[in-house]
């Protein structure tokens, strides 16, 4: 290296030191940390990958301050006839903004807890959020519409900052034939429709259950099969539908004056007494749903209390079957049947 090159190298090092010193002394004289040099992997090894940041959870938070426009939605009914234990919704049905629901409590303190599935929670969250954008006021608007005879029905919403809920929908016994609501109407009516569909699906009758849990058997005792539920009757009084065969895809109904028997693919259903509809053609009845075929476990019943609900118009029935299976999963299936149709049952089950 000649003297000129040596001198040029010394000047370069001095200039570099000055520049680095100015950068380190910036920001009002407070030294900033210098980032570590990048890790250069050895030949043949993979570059280190930074850990991914955790994504937000999709499940709703139970905290009232979690950003939801509502804290709680509840529905409660009263029936003009029958006992509270046989009145659908008498002890209350409540949905929280964390997706859980509660049925009860009964006078004895019995409460049934559960969790809505994703689509059920999204439905209620949508309805309650839309309702929260309205100026509800305090004056109810009443209009004629579909109703359940002999039933008082209220839906309330607890909004953030409230200590007591706001009744946004009501049907009073004194005003049968009218739906009364706060606000513009469509949002409150839709919330009632969707809440009542969940109540019909999830609220068990009788409530509370009449049978007390049996104590665990001792090792010397044998385990007897679980008792099968008994068919119940229609919960809506009115006019019986026409006797005969009703059918559709994957379903057949045999209706008589004493019972309604359903045949599904790999399952059956039964209601004690005929299906009866109100003046609007709606019906709701409790019965039993029996799984057939597949693996049968000794001591585990394949029969479950179920709700059969829907409407009948001009010889066509829209049917919803809802029950909770042995694993605690809520099952809900919809069918359409026509009077005089024998149904199409294509799937074979090995009994």
């Amino acid at each position: 290296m000649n003297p000129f090159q040596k001198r040029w190298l010394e000047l370069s090092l001095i200039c570099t030191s000055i520049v680095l010193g100015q950068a380190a002394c910036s920001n009002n004289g407070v030294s900033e940390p210098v980032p570590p040099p990048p890790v250069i992997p050895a030949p043949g090894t993979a570059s280190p990958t930074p850990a991914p940041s955790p994504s937000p959870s999709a499940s709703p938070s139970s905290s009232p301050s979690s950003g939801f426009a509502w804290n709680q939605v509840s529905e409660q009914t009263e029936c003009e006839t029958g006992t509270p234990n046989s009145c659908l919704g008498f002890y209350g049905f409540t949905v929280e903004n964390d997706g859980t629901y509660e049925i009860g409590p009964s006078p004895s303190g019995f409460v049934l807890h559960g969790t809505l599935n994703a689509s059920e929670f999204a439905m209620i969250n949508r309805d309650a959020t839309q309702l929260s954008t309205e100026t509800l006021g305090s004056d109810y608007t009443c209009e004629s519409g579909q109703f359940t005879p002999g039933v008082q029905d209220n839906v309330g919403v607890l909004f953030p900052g409230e200590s007591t809920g706001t009744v946004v929908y009501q049907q009073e016994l004194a005003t049968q034939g009218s739906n009364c609501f706060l606000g513009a109407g469509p949002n409150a009516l839709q919330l009632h429709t969707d809440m009542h569909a969940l109540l019909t699906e999830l609220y068990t009758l009788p409530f509370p259950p009449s049978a007390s849990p049996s104590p665990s058997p001792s090792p010397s005792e044998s385990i007897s099969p679980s008792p099968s539920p008994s068919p119940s009757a229609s919960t809506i009084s009115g006019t019986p539908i026409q006797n005969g065969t009703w059918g559709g895809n994957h379903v057949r109904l045999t209706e008589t004056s004493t019972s309604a028997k359903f045949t599904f693919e790999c399952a059956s259903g039964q209601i004690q007494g005929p299906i009866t509809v109100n003046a609007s053609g709606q019906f709701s009845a409790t019965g039993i749903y029996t799984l057939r075929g597949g693996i049968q476990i000794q001591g585990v019943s394949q029969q479950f209390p179920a709700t059969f609900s829907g409407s009948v118009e001009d010889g066509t029935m829209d049917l919803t079957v809802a029950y909770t299976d042995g694993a605690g999963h809520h099952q809900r299936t919809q069918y359409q049947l026509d009077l005089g149709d024998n149904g199409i049952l294509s799937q074979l089950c090995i009994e």
Side-chain angles (χ1 to χ4, degrees), residues 38-281:
V39 177
I40 301 176
T45 62
S47 300
T49 304
S53 302
S55 58
S57 173
S59 60
S61 168
S62 60
S63 170
S65 60
S66 58
F68 286 93
W70 57 282
N71 291 347
Q72 187 182 86
V73 181
S74 60
E75 182 173 8
Q76 193 270 332
T77 68
E78 292 184 20
C79 300
E80 193 172 27
T81 60
T83 63
N85 289 13
S86 62
C87 178
L88 187 70
F90 182 86
Y91 292 115
F93 172 64
T94 302
V95 174
E96 303 285 349
N97 69 4
D98 63 353
T100 60
Y101 68 85
E102 176 180 292
I103 298 173
S106 69
S108 63
F110 183 84
V111 177
L112 183 63
H113 295 279
T115 303
L116 302 181
N117 63 37
S119 61
E120 291 169 338
F121 176 78
M123 176 177 66
I124 299 301
N125 183 41
R126 176 202 63 205
D127 296 345
T129 299
Q130 290 177 346
L131 193 63
S132 70
T133 64
E134 292 191 36
T135 302
L136 298 177
S138 58
D139 295 329
Y140 288 91
T141 301
C142 296
E143 60 181 28
S144 60
Q146 295 183 346
F147 67 99
T148 304
V151 173
Q152 175 178 312
D153 193 356
N154 296 319
V155 173
V157 181
L158 181 65
F159 294 106
E162 291 184 338
S163 57
T164 57
T166 301
V167 177
V168 297
Y169 170 92
Q170 60 180 355
Q171 176 196 311
E172 301 290 343
L173 290 172
T175 58
Q176 283 190 5
S178 296
N179 296 310
C180 300
F181 51 83
L182 293 179
N187 291 331
L189 294 174
Q190 187 63 50
L191 178 61
H192 168 256
T193 298
D194 292 337
M195 275 291 289
H196 197 73
L198 290 180
L199 181 147
T200 302
E201 175 186 348
L202 302 173
Y203 197 101
T204 59
L205 291 176
F207 185 89
S210 55
S212 302
S214 302
S216 302
S218 63
S220 60
E221 295 176 330
S222 60
I223 301 177
S224 58
S226 304
S228 300
S230 301
S232 187
S234 178
T235 58
I236 292 183
S237 59
T239 305
I241 66 172
Q242 187 169 333
N243 290 344
T245 301
W246 300 65
N249 288 332
H250 316 298
V251 61
R252 180 187 303 132
L253 164 64
T254 303
E255 174 78 10
T256 70
S257 58
T258 58
S259 68
K261 296 182 179 180
F262 294 91
T263 301
F264 307 99
E265 293 176 345
C266 298
S268 63
Q270 184 175 355
I271 301 169
Q272 182 178 348
I275 294 176
T276 58
V277 296
N278 62 15
S280 300

Side-chain angles (χ1 to χ4, degrees), residues 321-342:
V321 181
Y323 70 98
T324 302
D325 64 21
H329 299 140
H330 304 307
Q331 306 292 344
R332 187 176 184 180
T333 310
Q334 294 181 319
Y335 304 91
Q336 188 172 80
L337 302 83
D338 293 312
L339 179 62
D341 193 322
N342 201 41

